[in-house]
């Protein structure tokens, strides 16, 4: 078997990525002898490296596959989703980096407990973090399992299940061994690989159209079945009022929800000083914008080269668009595991997933071990070694639960889980982060109303939406019990979450208002560091 045989190359590429990733995590683990080093990786990354790690957390496999597919099938509506991701990281840089960077914090629970009562702040945020993180973990694991099975040329649903378990095991090892520093190194490696893969794809697509983007977009419109309407809004959800509201809801949810995801905000805690935070987030914005620009070209290329009819026949949601494009650009290959181009792109996507799930798992485990166990149950009485052991145990627990649930939900529409994740984050987490850091009138009562009320409203609206029933692409397509008109509830639940936080704070008494915590960046006395 030749070294350049695609299946052999797939093994070599994937094994090489695993070897380098494990080496980085092992090197990072040598200093992880206390919780501060494990959660923060203090001083490990430069601002540029932090920026590339943040970009790696932002661009998940779900972003790559679903955004490419949406652009390929819905044209301008998919471009709006890519634009919303850029808006989200700009908000992350301009609004959240100041209140969240530095000062020795580990989690969002640390941030909120500086101003509010410790038990409700930590318990509430831990509950919401777990609920928000878990659906996105399932999406990543399912996508990675399917992609790895294709990459290795192993047929059958049992192969996908086995690959999902394998990916989950790697995820646990990366997070437990490397901590924040190790997962940061893996994110940087993933960002570089993904950028290289999409530069290659974009160049191959543009070469087919004489290196002229206008010619490419015209060809995509012709092959879409919509003509010039392909580059107008309304293709994804229709031209009805509810369809147009759904488009707005998706953009709002993605722009606000992605910015406050726990694995992203965790990246800000180790950064010392606003200047370093601004440099890091500038690098992140540049990397994310570049990758999303390339995704727009690749998504349009999938429509122009493969055709919308073939894309829909393979997967009505468009998730196979990237696979079909790589096969079309490599006409000598009859199957995915025979394509050299697919091997390269699939390795980049699997690497993307591994890095993303490691970061998500670490964020969930930190909330469990640090906020709930160390600070609430043992009230700060755990030794450093015991908290570190608890954190690694929590990583295993979260990983096992995620793998089991990923197998159970293997055939669900992944877009439903993605929508719930970002809507819940924007409706429950974002109000308490902004109120808790910027508004002195925020109270514990407001915290509870925003966290639990925003989460409950999102869950109810999503459960009774067309995304779950009454639609061919719904979770239960044969049944119809929906009464909420929008597939994505963010347009309603995000303002409701902010309103609940404000009302709860107004109803709460003065003695339960947030404590004023002085900020050294403004010349006040220093914060007390939360070092576990």
């Amino acid at each position: 078997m030749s070294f350049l045989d695609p299946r052999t190359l797939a093994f070599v590429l994937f094994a090489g990525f695993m070897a380098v990733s494990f080496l980085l995590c092992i090197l990072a683990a040598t200093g992880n002898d206390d919780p501060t080093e494990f959660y923060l990786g203090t001083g490990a990354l430069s601002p540029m490296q932090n920026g590339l790690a943040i970009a790696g957390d932002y661009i998940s496999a779900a972003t790559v596959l679903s955004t490419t597919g949406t652009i390929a099938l819905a044209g301008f509506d998919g471009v709006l989703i890519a634009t919303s991701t850029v808006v989200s990281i700009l908000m992350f840089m301009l609004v959240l980096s100041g209140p969240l960077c530095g000062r020795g914090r580990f989690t969002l629970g640390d941030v909120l407990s500086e101003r509010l009562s410790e038990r409700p702040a930590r318990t509430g945020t831990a509950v919401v973090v777990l609920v928000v993180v878990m659906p996105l973990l399932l999406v990543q694991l399912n996508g990675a399992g399917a992609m790895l099975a294709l990459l290795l040329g192993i047929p059958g649903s049992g192969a996908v299940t086995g690959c999902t378990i394998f990916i989950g095991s790697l995820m646990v090892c990366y997070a437990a061994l490397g901590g924040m520093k190790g997962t940061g190194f893996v994110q940087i490696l993933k960002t570089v690989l993904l950028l290289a893969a999409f530069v290659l794809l974009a160049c191959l697509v543009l070469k087919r159209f004489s290196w002229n983007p206008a010619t490419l977009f015209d060809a995509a419109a012709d092959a879409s079945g919509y003509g010039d309407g392909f580059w107008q809004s309304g293709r994804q959800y229709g031209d009805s009022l509810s369809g147009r509201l759904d488009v707005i809801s998706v953009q709002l949810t993605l722009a606000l929800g992605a910015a406050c995801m726990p694995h992203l905000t965790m990246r800000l805690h180790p950064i010392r000083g606003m200047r370093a935070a601004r440099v890091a987030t500038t690098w992140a914005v540049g990397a994310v914008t570049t990758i999303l620009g390339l995704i727009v070209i690749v998504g349009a290329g999938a429509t122009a080269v493969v055709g919308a009819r073939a894309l829909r026949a393979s997967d009505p949601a468009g998730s196979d668009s990237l696979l079909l494009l790589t096969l079309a650009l490599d006409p000598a290959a009859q199957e995915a595991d025979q394509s050299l181009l697919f091997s390269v792109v699939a390795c980049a996507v699997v690497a993307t997933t591994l890095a993303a799930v490691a970061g998500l798992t670490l964020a969930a485990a930190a909330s469990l071990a640090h906020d709930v166990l160390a600070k609430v149950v043992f009230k700060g009485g755990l030794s450093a070694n015991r908290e570190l052991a608890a954190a690694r145990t929590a990583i295993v627990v979260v990983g096992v639960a995620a793998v089991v649930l990923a197998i159970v939900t293997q055939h669900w529409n992944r877009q439903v889980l993605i929508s719930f994740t970002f809507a819940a984050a924007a409706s429950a987490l974002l109000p308490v982060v902004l109120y808790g850091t910027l508004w002195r009138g925020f109270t514990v009562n407001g915290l509870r109303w925003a966290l639990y009320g925003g989460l409950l409203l999102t869950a109810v609206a999503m459960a009774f939406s067309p995304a779950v029933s009454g639609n061919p692409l719904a979770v239960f397509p044969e049944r119809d019990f929906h009464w909420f008109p929008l597939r994505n509830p963010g347009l309603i639940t995000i303002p409701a979450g902010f309103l609940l936080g404000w009302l709860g704070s107004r109803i709460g008494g003065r003695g339960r208002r947030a404590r004023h915590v002085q900020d050294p960046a403004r010349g006040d006395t220093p914060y007390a560091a939360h070092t576990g």
Side-chain angles (χ1 to χ4, degrees):
M1 186 177 287
S2 169
F3 173 75
L4 289 179
D5 176 81
R7 187 175 296 186
T8 304
L9 182 64
F11 277 108
V12 171
L13 288 174
F14 186 63
F17 173 79
M18 284 195 303
V20 173
S21 301
F22 267 116
L23 177 61
L24 291 173
C25 287
I26 290 169
L27 291 174
T30 58
N32 286 347
D33 53 357
D34 67 82
T36 302
E37 186 73 15
F38 186 78
Y39 292 129
L40 299 181
T42 307
L45 303 178
S46 68
M48 182 192 75
Q49 291 171 328
N50 267 317
L52 293 177
I54 291 170
D57 273 316
Y58 245 97
I59 302 295
S60 65
T63 303
V64 170
L65 297 175
S66 66
T67 304
T68 303
T70 304
I71 292 169
L73 295 182
F76 185 69
D77 287 344
V79 176
L80 286 178
I81 289 176
T83 304
S84 295
T85 305
V86 175
V87 172
S88 176
I89 196 168
L90 284 171
M91 178 186 168
F92 182 80
M93 177 179 75
L94 298 174
V95 179
L96 296 180
S97 61
L100 297 182
C101 73
R103 306 186 185 102
R105 299 149 171 175
F106 298 162
T107 64
L108 286 176
D110 280 342
V111 174
L112 295 171
S113 63
E114 288 178 343
R115 295 190 171 206
L116 300 167
S117 297
E118 193 160 18
R119 180 179 291 271
R122 292 187 184 281
T123 304
T125 53
V127 169
V128 175
V129 163
L130 286 172
V131 174
V132 163
V133 162
M134 194 59 72
L136 194 55
L137 261 179
L138 307 187
V139 171
Q140 304 282 359
L141 288 171
N142 281 328
M147 186 66 74
L148 184 59
L150 279 173
L151 176 64
L152 301 181
I154 310 173
S157 59
V160 174
T161 299
C163 288
T164 301
I165 294 171
F166 178 66
I167 293 291
S169 303
L170 288 179
M171 159 188 88
V172 168
C173 292
Y174 286 166
L177 276 176
M180 178 62 77
K181 187 193 299 183
T183 57
F185 288 148
V186 175
Q187 293 288 10
I188 294 167
L189 178 62
K190 158 265 190 84
T191 301
V192 173
L193 287 175
L194 191 64
L195 185 61
F198 270 85
V199 165
L200 173 62
L201 274 179
C203 288
L204 290 174
V205 167
L206 288 172
K207 184 180 178 182
R208 286 209 168 196
F209 297 93
S210 304
W211 301 97
N212 189 337
T215 304
L216 165 64
F217 294 141
D218 287 342
D222 293 338
S224 69
Y226 296 113
D228 292 338
F230 186 61
W231 298 114
Q232 298 173 7
S233 184
R235 304 283 72 82
Q236 187 174 15
Y237 298 114
D239 291 323
S240 64
L241 177 61
S242 63
R244 293 191 177 277
L245 290 177
D246 250 322
V247 170
I248 297 172
S249 187
V250 169
Q251 314 315 316
L252 182 68
T253 299
L254 185 57
L256 299 181
C260 62
M261 287 297 291
H263 65 303
L264 289 166
T265 57
M266 245 184 120
R267 288 274 161 214
L268 290 172
H269 300 326
I271 301 175
R272 299 291 179 178
M274 276 303 301
R275 182 175 180 181
R278 194 57 54 88
V279 172
T281 50
T282 300
W283 274 97
V285 170
V288 169
T289 303
T290 301
I291 291 173
L292 286 168
L294 294 170
I295 286 176
V296 171
I297 293 173
V298 170
T303 310
V305 175
V306 180
R309 183 176 298 178
L311 295 177
R312 286 193 181 91
S314 178
D315 181 5
S319 297
D320 290 344
S321 298
L322 193 61
L323 163 64
L324 295 177
L325 175 63
T326 56
L327 290 176
L329 293 174
D330 190 4
Q334 300 299 315
E335 300 291 340
D337 63 327
Q338 298 172 5
S339 170
L340 186 65
L341 179 61
F342 175 78
S343 296
V344 173
V345 174
C347 275
V349 173
V350 174
T352 297
T353 305
L354 275 172
V357 295
L360 288 165
T361 305
L362 182 60
S367 285
L368 275 178
H370 181 68
D371 287 326
V372 177
L373 194 62
K375 295 297 184 181
V376 174
V377 176
F378 288 96
K379 299 180 181 179
L382 274 185
S383 66
N385 287 336
R386 287 189 176 183
E387 182 172 344
L388 191 58
R392 287 178 168 142
T393 302
I395 287 171
V396 175
V397 170
V398 170
V400 170
V403 168
V404 171
L405 291 173
I407 293 170
V408 171
T409 60
Q410 197 172 89
H411 302 292
W412 283 23
N413 183 350
R414 294 170 194 164
Q415 196 60 47
V416 176
L417 296 174
I418 296 172
S419 296
F420 175 77
T421 284
F422 290 124
S427 305
L429 283 180
L430 187 61
V432 300
V433 170
L434 293 181
Y435 282 154
T437 56
L438 302 176
W439 180 31
R440 294 184 187 178
F442 192 49
T443 68
V444 172
N445 202 42
L447 173 96
R448 290 193 179 104
W449 282 37
L451 280 177
Y452 299 121
L455 185 61
L456 181 62
L457 283 175
T458 304
V460 171
M462 200 79 206
F464 294 99
S465 74
V468 174
S469 69
N471 186 287
L473 298 180
V475 177
F476 304 107
E478 300 85 9
R479 304 183 63 186
D480 187 358
F481 48 82
H482 87 278
W483 49 261
F484 188 76
L486 303 180
R487 291 175 176 86
N488 187 299
L491 190 62
I492 305 300
T493 59
I494 294 172
F498 279 93
L499 181 61
L500 286 170
W502 179 81
L503 282 175
S505 298
R506 289 299 182 189
I507 292 173
R510 286 194 109 176
R512 304 186 69 186
R513 289 188 183 278
R515 302 188 302 270
H516 172 53
V517 182
Q518 289 138 340
D519 188 341
R522 298 190 181 101
D524 298 336
T525 56
Y527 281 80
H530 286 261
T531 57

